[in-house]
Amino acid sequence: MSSAPSVASRIRPIDRVAPAEIQLVAERMRDTLIEVLGPERGATLYDLDWLVARVRWHLDPDRTAEVLVADDPSAGLVGHCIVRADRDEHGAPIGYFSTTYVVPTHRRRGIAAALITAGERFLLVHGLATHVTDTDQHNTPLIALFARRGFAVAYRDTARAMVRLARRAPPP
Ligand SMILES: CC(C)(COP(=O)(O)OP(=O)(O)OC[C@H]1O[C@@H](n2cnc3c(N)ncnc32)[C@H](O)[C@@H]1OP(=O)(O)O)[C@@H](O)C(=O)NCCC(=O)NCCS
């Protein structure tokens, strides 16, 4: 498993009072949608204002959530990962990976793996040991990324072409 980024990206929480960082993560969320769903659907599903509001929603201090960024000394923010406390379909508490993204120029260097490690740490600190993410069933890179970390398919939603991946973190 790629345990540490081979470049010196520092994984840290987003700067909550830096509108430029919030805007950048929102733009990258749109890039994710375009990459996964295609330019037509991905670019129009949510507008940028909605995505900015969505990032800010995760930064509400009353919410158990974190926006993590990978900060490269020369390239700036090259990736992000958003995690939050959520509930599964039975109402049980889960730690949910809402989105994970690394810019194409910096992929396959272990940055997403490092972001997920930091996300898992955040969730475990908040007592959440069941970790979950959803993605398009054809998103092979993301499925491989999480599978390598022990996530398995919890269920497939064939109508929506989605797959849910889940893992129970071992006790510390
Ligand atoms: C999926 C994504 C986040 C991976 O980021 P990354 O920084 O390149 O991933 P890592 O370098 O940490 O990869 C760790 C491991 O995951 C697996 N993996 C990552 N990308 C892969 C790919 N394209 N194909 C196959 N396996 C892959 C590999 O096992 C890899 O280890 P290795 O490089 O030693 O083989 C990135 O490709 C991305 O941003 N994709 C678009 C956004 C997206 O789909 N987000 C999810 C929306 S729900």
Side-chain angles (χ1 to χ4, degrees):
M1 179 185 302
S2 325
S3 51
S6 57
V7 289
S9 289
R10 184 167 68 94
I11 308 300
R12 62 166 173 83
I14 195 170
D15 181 346
R16 291 168 178 250
V17 293
E21 290 200 359
I22 293 168
Q23 175 80 17
L24 188 62
V25 169
E27 287 171 6
R28 300 270 173 79
M29 287 166 77
R30 188 183 52 187
D31 292 345
T32 302
L33 291 166
I34 290 170
E35 189 167 336
V36 176
L37 301 176
E40 201 160 311
R41 200 164 152 235
T44 53
L45 198 55
Y46 304 108
D47 70 25
L48 204 50
D49 288 346
W50 189 93
L51 292 169
V52 168
R54 192 64 179 154
V55 178
R56 290 192 184 282
W57 182 90
H58 284 94
L59 298 176
D60 180 337
D62 292 334
R63 211 176 297 286
T64 301
E66 189 57 280
V67 179
L68 295 157
V69 294
D71 192 353
D72 179 271
S74 52
L77 300 196
V78 292
H80 72 265
C81 174
I82 300 182
V83 291
R84 65 169 180 263
D86 212 320
R87 301 262 167 193
D88 71 9
E89 67 278 20
H90 308 294
I94 56 169
Y96 189 71
F97 285 83
S98 158
T99 175
T100 309
Y101 179 83
V102 173
V103 294
T105 49
H106 284 67
R107 290 185 184 167
R108 301 309 284 266
R109 302 184 190 187
I111 293 173
L115 284 162
I116 294 168
T117 297
E120 287 176 333
R121 201 174 301 130
F122 173 87
L123 295 171
L124 286 170
V125 163
H126 288 86
L128 296 161
T130 300
H131 300 162
V132 170
T133 196
D134 294 320
T135 193
D136 185 275
Q137 66 183 9
H138 303 296
N139 193 349
T140 311
L142 192 90
I143 293 168
L145 169 70
F146 278 88
R148 184 140 179 204
R149 306 181 62 85
F151 283 67
V153 174
Y155 65 78
R156 291 177 196 278
D157 182 343
T158 40
R160 293 171 58 228
M162 299 289 289
V163 63
R164 168 158 286 197
L165 308 171
R167 168 182 185 255
R168 176 102 191 142

